[in-house]
């Protein structure tokens, strides 16, 4: 039978690695029973290890291990997105645009993120490999496009590492200046090295607990807002939506009147485009996720809904607890106050004379910043690894240790993290602004790349007669969602640095950091295209198979590990999507 023949081909590798294989009937029986201990079959770890050594289309073997469980994937997606921006930097958007502009901007941008998420969910579920969207860009569009997209994403993720290290230093100095900035930076980098050089399951475990702390923090702040606005505070002040009326819902920025309010809204939209992410972090874990065909769709859906809930409610709460013209909040950003001192929530607690909570918030914001930086080290190293697998980075970067960790890639990312030492001489606030300007455009380019890649992928499916109804996951609203995401992400990438062109606002460093990646990405594209003489893929020539056979075989043979205890069982149910 055809199924028997397919199985024989796919299972041959088990014999070559010393594993004994069973018949199709045995496999089906094992899957029905949900166990494999009493059968002469490859167990979960054997399946995972064998899958990791399947060569990709470049001929280089991906030797990462599928050790990330569903709950790890869910929390990695949340952990990589929720950093200090949601608790602290969001206050700058409130100052510039007011609570109404902030809430509308964040709500609108979440719909754009939905468009991007739908594009990635469909492609990644079909082919869950290491660094998927980077490699898809080269396979489905143009090798030069994949080269430019990959290096743009790597720069984006790598620069976010020193950004969060700088944030950690700032947050710690909220309590004391006794530890010098250089010492805090060095300790943070060492901790990142330890966590990212261990087996990926330990990274997943550490990120799970750190991200869980972030979730509890934002939920706690939402509850704090609800209780205090109804009068549950030391002053017994039932302030409700008072600050939406006085000083008002919309702040003027740069100009007076309607134009000023529009500029304020635009600034909030730029803030949202930097703060809200999601699909890129989930997709980067696809190559190391167990049973990805089942796990990834749930992860994309759940992460989007959870993140939008946090960001929409978070932006609403910030505008409730403090007025946009609050002197303490204004001074905190103007003077570069340390840690959560610039957080609208802490400013609110000080206004209401709430004790102890500011220190707790600062501690959890510190954990949040550390966790975000940890996620960025992981994503940056895996994006560089994906580039190396495709021949777009030195081959030595494909080497992994016995735990399947690309240690050379991790080393490169940690070397870039040393940029955090710039703050020792330039000042934390200045360095943070540099990093924010650099990565905002880069993130928007990434999202535009994902949408454009999906459109080329869909075109290839149609040309080769593959119905989207046969895919493991079919996204809704396509291709309209892809066009909407592509349009808005492309436009916002150019709009992000607009204040520098206003009269009296010209600043050379700001201009360079705002548009550096927009200039570098097409240069990388043209350079690789000339060097390698690449061409845009024709729809009927696109390789839609790649490693699909190995993924299919892995999925068919996969048997989930039973939970170790009741605690593990319930955590997997709650956070497993």
């Amino acid at each position: 039978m055809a199924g028997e023949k397919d199985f024989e081909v796919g299972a041959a590798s088990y014999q070559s690695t010393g594993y004994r294989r069973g018949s199709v009937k045995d496999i089906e029986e094992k899957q029905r029973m949900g166990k494999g201990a009493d059968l002469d079959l490859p167990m979960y770890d054997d399946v995972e290890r064998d899958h990791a050594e399947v060569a990709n289309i470049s001929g280089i073997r991906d030797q990462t291990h599928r050790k990330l469980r569903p709950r790890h994937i869910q929390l990695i997606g949340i952990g990589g997105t929720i950093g200090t921006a949601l608790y602290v930097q969001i206050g700058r958007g409130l100052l510039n645009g007011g609570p109404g502009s902030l809430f509308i901007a964040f709500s609108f941008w979440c719909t754009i993120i939905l468009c991007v998420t739908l594009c990635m969910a469909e492609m990644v579920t079909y082919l869950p490999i290491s660094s998927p969207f980077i490699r898809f860009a080269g396979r489905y569009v143009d090798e030069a496009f994949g080269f430019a997209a990959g290096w743009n994403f790597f720069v984006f993720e790598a620069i976010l590492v020193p950004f969060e290290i700088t944030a950690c230093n700032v947050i710690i100095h909220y309590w004391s200046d006794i530890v010098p900035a250089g010492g805090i930076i060095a300790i943070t980098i060492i901790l990142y090295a330890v966590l990212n050089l261990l087996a990926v399951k330990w990274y997943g475990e550490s990120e799970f607990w750190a991200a869980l702390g972030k979730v509890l923090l934002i939920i706690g702040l939402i509850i704090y807002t609800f209780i205090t606005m109804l009068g549950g505070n030391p002053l017994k002040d039932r302030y409700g939506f008072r600050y939406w009326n006085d000083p008002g819902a919309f702040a003027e920025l740069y100009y007076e009147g309607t134009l000023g309010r529009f500029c304020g809204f635009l600034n909030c939209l730029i803030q949202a485009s930097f703060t809200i992410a999601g699909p890129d972090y989930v997709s980067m874990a696809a190559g190391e996720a167990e049973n990805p065909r089942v796990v990834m769709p749930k992860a994309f859906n759940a992460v989007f809904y959870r993140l939008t809930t946090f960001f929409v409610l978070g932006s609403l709460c910030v505008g409730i607890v403090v007025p946009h013209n609050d002197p303490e909040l204004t001074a905190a950003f103007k003077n570069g106050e340390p840690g959560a001192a610039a957080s609208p929530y802490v400013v609110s607690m000080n206004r209401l004379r709430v004790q102890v909570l500011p220190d707790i918030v600062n501690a959890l914001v510190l954990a949040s910043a550390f966790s975000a930086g940890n996620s960025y080290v992981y994503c940056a190293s895996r994006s560089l690894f994906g580039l190396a697998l495709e021949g777009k980075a030195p081959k030595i970067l494909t080497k992994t240790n016995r735990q399947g960790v690309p240690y050379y890639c991790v080393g490169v990312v940690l070397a870039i993290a040393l940029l955090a030492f710039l703050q020792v001489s330039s000042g934390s606030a200045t360095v943070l602004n540099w990093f924010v300007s650099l990565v905002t455009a880069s993130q928007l380019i990434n999202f535009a790349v994902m949408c454009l890649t999906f459109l080329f992928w869909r075109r290839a499916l149609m040309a080769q007669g593959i119905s989207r109804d046969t895919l493991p996951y079919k996204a809704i609203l396509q291709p309209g969602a892809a066009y909407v995401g592509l349009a808005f992400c492309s436009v916002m990438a150019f709009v992000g640095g607009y204040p520098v062109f206003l009269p009296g606002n010209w600043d050379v460093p700001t201009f360079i950091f705002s548009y550096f990646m927009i200039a570098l990405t097409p240069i990388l594209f043209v350079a690789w295209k000339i060097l390698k003489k690449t061409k845009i893929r024709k729809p009927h020539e696109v390789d839609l198979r790649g490693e699909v056979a190995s993924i299919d075989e892995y999925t068919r043979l996969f048997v989930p590990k039973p939970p170790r205890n009741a605690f593990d069982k319930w955590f997997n149910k709650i956070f497993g999507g």
Side-chain angles (χ1 to χ4, degrees):
M1 294 174 61
E4 294 276 2
K5 183 177 180 181
D6 291 341
F7 174 77
E8 293 291 336
V9 173
S13 57
Y14 291 115
Q15 289 179 314
S16 65
T17 52
Y19 305 134
R20 289 178 291 179
R21 59 179 175 82
S23 66
V24 173
K25 184 177 179 181
D26 291 333
I27 296 294
E28 292 173 347
E29 179 65 22
K30 182 179 75 165
Q31 290 175 330
R32 282 197 298 270
M33 295 170 63
K35 42 176 115 167
D38 300 325
L39 298 172
D40 190 17
L41 302 169
M43 292 298 293
Y44 165 81
D45 287 336
D46 299 338
V47 173
E48 174 274 318
R49 189 182 300 113
D50 181 73
H51 164 77
E53 296 178 354
V54 176
N56 65 30
I57 62 171
S58 67
I60 302 174
R61 293 183 179 278
D62 179 354
Q63 296 181 330
T64 53
H65 295 177
R66 292 196 178 276
K67 293 291 187 181
L68 294 177
R69 308 197 74 176
R71 62 185 177 90
H72 295 151
I73 301 297
Q74 295 279 7
L75 271 295
I76 286 172
I78 294 175
T81 303
I82 299 179
T84 55
L86 183 58
Y87 311 118
V88 181
Q89 292 296 117
I90 196 172
R92 190 179 297 278
L94 179 64
L95 289 174
N96 293 330
S101 291
L102 188 70
F103 178 66
I104 294 171
F106 270 67
S107 300
F108 171 75
W109 197 253
C110 281
T111 64
I112 304 303
I113 295 300
L114 171 61
C115 295
V116 180
T117 301
L118 292 172
C119 295
M120 287 306 299
E122 188 167 311
M123 292 190 294
V124 172
T125 303
Y126 174 71
L127 186 58
I129 57 177
S130 297
S131 307
F133 93 85
I134 295 173
R135 295 162 72 183
F136 293 164
R139 295 186 188 190
Y140 305 149
V141 184
D142 187 317
E143 281 295 331
F145 187 67
F147 177 79
W151 281 103
N152 174 74
F153 185 74
F154 170 72
V155 170
F156 165 63
E157 292 293 330
I159 290 298
L160 280 172
V161 178
F163 170 83
E164 292 296 346
I165 293 174
T166 302
C168 286
N169 173 57
V170 172
I171 293 166
I172 290 174
H173 284 119
Y174 172 85
W175 290 297
S176 173
D177 292 329
I178 192 170
V179 181
I184 294 172
I185 294 168
I187 292 170
T188 306
I189 292 175
I190 291 171
L191 290 174
Y192 284 160
V194 171
L195 290 172
N196 281 274
L197 289 173
L198 295 172
V200 71
K201 65 179 180 180
W202 295 114
Y203 159 78
E205 202 64 39
S206 66
E207 192 57 24
F208 172 81
W209 290 105
L212 184 59
K214 296 183 185 186
V215 173
L216 294 177
L217 174 58
I218 188 60
I219 291 175
L221 291 175
I222 292 171
I223 294 173
Y224 162 83
T225 302
F226 181 73
I227 292 175
T228 58
M229 71 184 291
L230 295 179
N233 57 74
L235 299 182
K236 309 298 182 185
D237 182 10
R238 192 180 179 91
Y239 58 89
F241 281 86
R242 177 191 303 162
Y243 304 130
W244 283 60
N245 295 316
D246 182 22
F250 300 95
E252 297 174 348
L253 182 67
Y254 304 127
Y255 302 98
E256 295 181 353
T258 303
L259 180 59
R261 288 189 289 273
F262 175 75
C263 287
F265 168 76
L266 195 56
N267 190 273
C268 289
L269 194 59
I270 294 169
Q271 179 84 47
S273 68
F274 166 70
T275 307
I276 307 173
D280 40 352
Y281 297 103
V282 177
S283 67
M284 289 304 292
E288 294 169 270
E290 67 173 41
N291 201 18
R293 288 274 175 80
V294 174
V295 170
M296 298 311 293
K298 295 179 180 179
F300 278 112
N301 290 336
V303 167
F304 169 75
Y305 292 122
R306 290 170 187 171
L307 287 181
T308 52
T309 299
F310 295 150
F311 285 116
V312 171
L313 289 180
S315 64
L316 178 63
C317 290
V318 163
I320 291 174
V321 297
V322 67
H324 66 75
N325 63 350
D326 183 88
E328 183 181 344
L329 185 65
T330 303
F333 278 100
K334 183 179 180 180
N335 302 327
E337 293 293 332
S343 169
Y345 298 105
V346 171
V347 171
S348 166
M349 293 169 188
N350 292 337
R351 289 173 65 94
L352 297 173
R353 299 176 187 173
V354 177
Q355 304 296 318
V356 182
L357 275 183
D359 289 306
I360 295 175
V361 170
N362 197 70
L364 291 174
V365 169
L366 174 60
S368 177
F370 180 85
S371 169
N374 195 35
S375 287
Y376 299 144
V377 172
Y378 173 82
C379 287
S381 62
R382 288 339 185 250
S383 64
L384 186 58
F385 179 66
L387 286 167
L389 286 174
E390 296 290 304
K392 299 182 180 72
K395 186 176 179 180
I396 192 173
L397 296 174
T398 63
K399 291 185 177 295
T400 60
N401 59 20
R402 286 180 295 180
Q403 286 74 40
V405 176
Y407 54 93
Y408 280 123
C409 294
V410 173
V412 171
V413 175
L414 294 176
I416 294 173
L418 297 176
L419 287 172
F421 283 102
L422 284 172
Q423 68 181 294
V424 175
S425 59
S426 298
S428 299
T430 302
V431 173
L432 278 172
N433 287 333
W434 286 349
F435 289 151
V436 169
S437 297
L438 181 61
V439 302
T440 300
S442 189
Q443 173 164 275
L444 292 167
I445 292 171
N446 293 331
F447 291 160
V449 165
M450 294 176 193
C451 295
L452 184 60
T453 301
F454 175 84
L455 292 173
F456 273 77
W457 183 67
R458 179 177 177 273
R459 186 182 69 161
L461 288 174
M462 294 172 63
Q464 298 181 28
I466 301 176
S467 172
R468 290 176 60 232
D469 293 327
T470 65
L471 301 177
Y473 175 84
K474 180 183 178 182
I476 60 172
L477 304 177
Q478 294 293 12
Y483 284 112
V484 171
L486 175 61
F488 277 98
C489 291
S490 300
V491 170
M492 287 303 298
F494 288 93
V495 170
Y498 87 94
V500 79
F501 298 109
L502 299 178
N505 278 11
W506 178 257
D507 181 67
V508 174
T510 301
F511 171 78
I512 292 174
F513 279 99
S514 296
Y515 292 98
F516 177 76
M517 291 309 301
I518 293 178
L520 179 62
T521 302
I523 290 173
L524 292 173
F525 174 78
V526 173
W528 192 259
K529 198 167 188 64
I530 293 174
L531 182 64
K532 297 294 183 178
K533 297 180 174 59
T534 65
K535 295 182 179 180
I536 295 178
R537 307 280 190 188
K538 295 180 180 179
H540 62 277
E541 294 176 350
V542 170
D543 178 13
L544 294 174
R545 302 302 175 182
E547 299 91 337
V548 172
S550 68
I551 299 294
D552 289 342
E553 194 65 17
Y554 168 84
T555 303
R556 183 162 57 159
L557 297 176
F558 178 81
V559 177
K561 281 184 175 178
R564 291 169 294 182
N565 47 51
F567 179 81
D568 192 42
K569 177 182 178 181
W570 283 106
F571 261 63
N572 279 318
K573 280 189 175 182
I574 295 171
F575 296 103

